[in-house]
Amino acid sequence: MCTQRLGGASILGIGSAAPENVVTNRDLEKLVDTTDQWILGRTGIRERRIGPEDMCTSDLCEKAALQALDHAGVAPSEIEMVIVGTTTPDFIYPSLASIVQHRIGAPTGGAFDVQAACSGFLYALTIADQFLRTGKYEKILVLGAEMPSRLVNWDDRASCVLFGDGAGAAVVGLSDDTSRGMLSSCLGADGSTWKMLYQPAGGTRQPIDAEGLEQKLNKTRMEGNEVYKVAVRTLLAMANGALEEAGLTIDDIDLFVPHQANLRIIDAVGKRLGLDPEKVFVNIDRYGNTSAASIPLALREALDVGRIKEGDLILMDAFGAGASAAGVVLRW
Ligand code: UT7
């Protein structure tokens, strides 16, 4: 369902973080039966960042959050709520958001995670937008953070080559310039597809036991072809929904920032939307699929390399397990 908004949440500052450890396709050739040529040709990925054993998702969150706060010129004490989009928190509970709040020294306001898989950042941004519009809060920290490397079955060549670790954070608030901020948000999910991408054991349906561990049921299961088809369809639907609700057409958009899952998916969606390839932001080659972190990671990089200027219209578009999906139009 789509809801029209005007002058909503602005990104006042943005930060990102990724582990230093780079794993190239050549490195993966030594691990599973794959080739650099296959991975690059089928996905557009050259390398990804994989965190060391002693790293957890909140380590990446803290770094990204402090960078975002610094960029916004906002102190941790001004943050009234923390929302993290994640599928790979430090623990099943408490929330990653609670841990991040404590680690950055934010006040004890609301803090919670949003589990919408790769669409988590856009879902979290949409929730923050609602709290800002009602006047309930003025500054909210929104993150997308993941360590998919922890859930990947490193024996499964069809999925292990795709993912990477990372985090992105945005300080959001209402801008004095009412033309800035979120113009529309379109959210979706299709629960009937849940089996195409999931972690079989570790939840209440199948608590983890020795047999489950043996069968690696605590690791990601994915039907790649099915995900691919659903991805293209839902990304198009969400982008068009968000554009329509904002009263815009694709020609108005200055930069398209899609979830970075597969370069072929991004190209197919860009083409069907009728987008000039110059307006599509891609960094999957260096990070792989960082799930909920991919859009804020891309936003920070786009800003750093001068691809986003004040007043630009940005279309963000995501899909993921569940099959969650989201499209957001924002005037920077
Ligand atoms: O955020 C959402 C997360 N998931 C996704 O975004 C996944 C979306 N899906 C995809 O990106 C693609 O479906 C994949 C990249 C996962 C797979 O690409 P594909 O073009 O759909 O390949 P395929 O699954 O049809 O496999 C083609 C062949 C198969 O061999 P045969 O049966 O043709 O002999 C696979 O076994 O490629 C083989 N294959 C590999 N070969 C070398 C699968 N993975 C690999 C690999 N290296 N890593």
Side-chain angles (χ1 to χ4, degrees):
M1 226 176 73
C2 309
T3 326
Q4 186 168 10
R5 310 180 181 90
L6 291 166
S10 280
I11 294 183
L12 308 176
I14 187 139
S16 66
E20 282 176 16
N21 179 39
V22 174
V23 175
T24 65
N25 293 346
R26 293 257 181 244
D27 294 329
L28 292 181
E29 283 178 359
K30 293 170 206 145
L31 207 65
V32 285
D33 180 16
T34 192
T35 60
D36 173 47
Q37 193 191 15
W38 191 96
I39 302 172
L40 188 60
R42 300 272 178 151
T43 71
I45 300 167
R46 290 176 190 280
E47 59 189 41
R48 71 285 295 141
R49 306 292 187 92
I50 303 292
E53 265 178 34
D54 61 352
M55 179 178 274
C56 57
T57 315
S58 64
D59 293 330
L60 294 170
C61 288
E62 180 181 349
K63 214 168 159 189
L66 293 177
Q67 193 185 55
L69 287 161
D70 185 55
H71 184 220
V74 166
S77 59
E78 295 176 68
I79 295 297
E80 298 159 283
M81 179 175 265
V82 180
I83 314 175
V84 187
T86 188
T87 318
T88 48
D90 287 12
F91 308 104
I92 288 181
Y93 68 92
S95 72
L96 179 55
S98 288
I99 294 166
V100 174
Q101 177 207 64
H102 171 66
R103 288 187 66 158
I104 65 169
T108 53
F112 58 95
D113 294 351
V114 173
Q115 216 284 37
C118 304
S119 312
F121 178 75
L122 295 187
Y123 265 65
L125 199 59
T126 300
I127 295 166
D129 183 54
Q130 302 300 308
F131 280 105
L132 293 164
R133 280 174 187 279
T134 58
K136 174 91 173 160
Y137 297 121
E138 291 182 3
K139 302 261 183 327
I140 300 176
L141 184 67
V142 175
L143 297 100
E146 302 279 14
M147 294 194 73
S149 63
R150 300 300 195 258
L151 293 187
V152 156
N153 175 357
W154 289 103
D155 294 331
D156 176 18
R157 67 174 183 173
S159 61
C160 78
V161 301
L162 303 177
F163 297 97
D165 301 336
V171 177
V172 298
L174 292 180
S175 168
D176 293 339
D177 178 350
T178 53
S179 70
R180 278 188 66 191
M182 269 171 74
L183 302 181
S184 66
S185 165
C186 195
L187 302 182
D190 177 3
S192 70
T193 67
W194 67 270
K195 263 196 168 174
M196 94 193 160
L197 180 55
Y198 76 120
Q199 180 190 334
T204 55
R205 191 174 293 207
Q206 186 166 356
I208 195 69
D209 57 16
E211 200 185 324
L213 281 177
E214 178 72 25
Q215 293 171 33
K216 302 208 168 166
L217 297 180
N218 58 330
K219 301 293 180 185
T220 293
R221 293 279 169 100
M222 186 183 74
E223 290 169 28
N225 285 314
E226 280 311 302
V227 178
Y228 191 101
K229 280 183 247 161
V230 173
V232 174
R233 197 170 66 233
T234 53
L235 283 169
L236 276 171
M238 291 299 119
N240 285 323
L243 284 170
E244 193 183 323
E245 291 298 324
L248 299 168
T249 72
I250 197 69
D251 295 331
D252 297 312
I253 295 302
D254 296 296
L255 193 67
F256 179 54
V257 183
H259 169 47
Q260 311 279 313
N262 184 320
L263 184 58
R264 285 156 57 215
I265 295 175
I266 296 173
D267 285 347
V269 172
K271 209 171 277 173
R272 288 184 205 186
L273 284 171
L275 263 168
D276 175 354
E278 296 276 298
K279 289 185 175 181
V280 181
F281 192 82
V282 174
N283 66 357
I284 190 173
D285 51 322
R286 281 158 294 123
Y287 294 101
N289 180 349
T290 57
S291 186
S294 87
I295 288 183
L297 260 171
L299 285 175
R300 175 71 208 202
E301 189 174 322
L303 201 63
D304 284 344
V305 299
R307 296 276 302 273
I308 298 179
K309 298 176 299 303
E310 208 161 296
D312 277 357
L313 280 166
I314 315 291
L315 172 62
M316 297 176 270
D317 203 5
F319 76 95
S324 67
V328 166
V329 175
L330 178 144
R331 187 180 291 281
W332 197 268

